[in-house]
Structures are given as C-alpha cells and as structure tokens.
Amino acid sequence: MTTRKNMTLHRFRAMHAAGEKIAMLTCYDALFARVLDEAGVDALLVGDSLGMVLHGRDTTLPVTMDQMVYHTECVARGNRTAWIIADMPFGSYQESPEQAMRNAVRLMQAGAHMVKVEGGGWTVPVVRALVQRSIPVCGHLGFTPQSVYMLGGYRIQGREEAAVATMRAQAKELAAAGADCLVLELMPAAVARAVTQDLPVPTIGIGAGSGCSGQVLVLHDMLGLTTGTPPRFVRNFLAQGEGIDAAIRQYVADVKSGRFPDDNVHGY
Ligand code: KIV
C-alpha cells in the first residue's frame, strides 16, 4: 500500500516551485484509480474522453453530468492519495457562472478535488466564480475537444503568430482569474514552452512537448488499448512487456526525469 501523503494544492504548488514534473493520467474507474495511485501518479483526470474511450462515442460532446458524476465517484472510491481532477462536460458550464457552480458542486461532492473547463476568454468569469467559492480549477487551452467542430477536427493549434499571442494572453488571464493549473493540448512544443514560462502556475501537456510542467496521457492510449492508430504524441508504455503496474511506474519515472515526451518523437 502507498505510504505517500495525500496530494494537495499546496503540494502541487511546492512541486511546481521546486521544478518537479507532474505526472497525470486519465482514470475512469476504481480499479485503475488504485493501480495508478499505488504506482505514484500525482493526479488522476476523470476526463470526458471517457465518452470516446469507454462509451464508444466519436467525440466528447455527448458526455453528461450524470456520467461524469458516476465515474468521478468510482475513481474517488479507488483512490487513496492522488489529486482528482474531473472534467466539466460540454453544456455544463457554457450558460453562466451560476450553472457552472451548480455542476461543479456535483463533481466535488462526487469526490473531485478540482474541476477542469475548456477554453479561454469567455471562461474567465466561470473560473473566477468557481475559485472564489472554493472550487479549484484547471484550465485547458490549445486543442479543446469540446470545440472539435469549431476547430475543424483534431488539429494542432497555435501554428500562426496571432493564435499564439491569443493563447498566451488567455493563459495569463486564466491564471489571474485563479486557475491553479492549465492543460495544454496539441500545439508546437515551442508554443507550450512559451506559455509555461509566462505563467505562475503549472502547465500539463498532452501532445505539447517537453517544455510543460507536467504531462498527461489518456490511460488506454499509453497502454496501447486502442483500436485505431494512436496519436503521434503517445508512447506505448506497456510494450516493454512487464505488465500494467510496471508500465505506469515507467510513465511516472519518465515524466519526472524528462525522458517523456521526446520532442523528436512525441512532439510537434
Ligand atoms: O478528457 C480528457 O481526457 C482530457 C485530456 C485529453 C487532457 O481532457
């Protein structure tokens, strides 16, 4: 059984201040929550990617609040010490800060320690309202899966100068509004590095290169449990053949040491 202390917001801030990389994975159930926690994963993301990974959907858009609450409860039951971040699903925070608050409360009562919202600019009042009411928030910029139709598919973001400037400004606004970390998804490594250097809070990259303060992958992708071709930024940690526990421990070790991601193979 793990002997590590509970992850807290203060420990996250201390890890960031000390330059220690944060290892995060998605997690949707109690069994994996226990395995990931025991293997030393710092944060478990109950991502709305569960709609695609577990429920067979093409996008994350059909995922409901009830489904997020259910999976967050499962993860919280299996977890002992890791930090749990739950995604606010599509349609659960877009209307108003009041709507966001009502739904964030449900996720916190299900066992989340922090909620994640996608997008910049219009999300600032949402983030501010949640943080002021004691709900820690993680932002999410770059490729934001809930905007897949607006973004024209699963495409790398931040290729043009203007887009980079907007992203850097939005990241600073989210941190100023009280977001305690930011997921940066699918963008050139140099852009993610610049955003990270701008901010007082950690960034967690996925397909965003090695310059972030931590990394997250979809659990099933890094175990090779996919039917399609995995994205370029994924490394299959199970391929070394020593079992799931060893694969997760290797992921944590490689994120902490900077061996993952390798920008030449897993970056853009
Ligand atoms: O839902 C999810 O799994 C996510 C990650 C891709 C960061 O948001």
Side-chain angles (χ1 to χ4, degrees):
M1 195 167 93
T2 181
T3 53
R4 95 175 155 173
K5 288 198 197 134
N6 285 350
M7 285 298 296
T8 61
L9 211 43
H10 289 81
R11 288 197 62 205
F12 262 115
R13 290 177 183 149
M15 281 169 75
H16 183 234
E20 183 182 344
K21 297 269 186 183
I22 296 162
M24 187 189 293
L25 284 172
T26 66
C27 186
Y28 315 119
D29 64 38
L31 174 68
F32 268 116
R34 181 63 55 88
V35 170
L36 269 50
D37 180 35
E38 290 284 334
V41 176
D42 298 310
L44 312 181
L45 172 63
V46 190
D48 58 0
S49 52
L50 62 84
M52 301 170 76
V53 177
L54 302 186
H55 303 165
R57 301 290 197 167
D58 289 335
T59 72
T60 59
L61 274 66
V63 175
T64 64
M65 267 307 297
D66 286 349
Q67 289 166 348
M68 290 306 300
V69 166
Y70 169 76
H71 286 282
T72 302
E73 282 172 350
C74 293
V75 169
R77 260 180 237 131
N79 179 53
R80 285 205 171 102
T81 66
W83 185 251
I84 299 176
I85 305 175
D87 258 334
M88 302 277 293
F90 180 65
S92 71
Y93 57 104
Q94 280 82 354
E95 282 173 25
S96 64
E98 291 74 20
Q99 183 211 23
M101 184 63 200
R102 272 195 305 280
N103 286 317
V105 165
R106 289 189 66 197
L107 293 174
M108 299 299 281
Q109 289 180 335
H113 303 131
M114 175 180 255
V115 299
K116 178 161 81 58
V117 298
E118 294 186 6
W122 69 271
T123 53
V124 167
V126 169
V127 172
R128 193 175 294 119
L130 296 180
V131 171
Q132 282 174 349
R133 289 159 183 79
S134 304
I135 298 183
V137 177
C138 175
H140 185 156
L141 293 177
F143 178 74
T144 44
Q146 293 173 12
S147 308
V148 60
Y149 293 121
M150 196 61 119
L151 296 174
Y154 291 81
R155 303 159 78 102
I156 299 167
Q157 303 298 304
R159 285 212 188 271
E160 305 84 24
E161 234 171 82
V164 174
T166 302
M167 198 166 359
R168 290 179 77 164
Q170 289 181 341
K172 286 187 205 161
E173 283 171 6
L174 287 169
D180 260 291
C181 65
L182 245 70
V183 166
L184 300 180
E185 182 164 356
L186 221 47
M187 66 183 69
V191 174
R193 191 178 294 277
V195 173
T196 302
Q197 284 167 357
D198 283 344
L199 296 183
V201 297
T203 60
I204 312 292
I206 174 163
S210 61
C212 297
S213 325
Q215 298 291 326
V216 58
L217 283 176
V218 170
L219 173 66
H220 295 62
D221 286 351
M222 58 82 77
L223 294 176
L225 293 171
T226 56
T227 45
T229 312
R232 178 177 135 96
F233 58 78
V234 172
R235 182 188 294 172
N236 182 342
F237 285 83
L238 194 60
Q240 291 162 28
E242 288 171 28
I244 288 177
D245 182 57
I248 307 293
R249 286 179 192 276
Q250 193 61 54
Y251 170 75
V252 173
D254 287 358
V255 169
K256 299 271 176 200
S257 67
R259 282 193 301 269
F260 177 80
D262 172 347
D263 287 348
N264 295 319
V265 185
H266 305 103
Y268 293 101

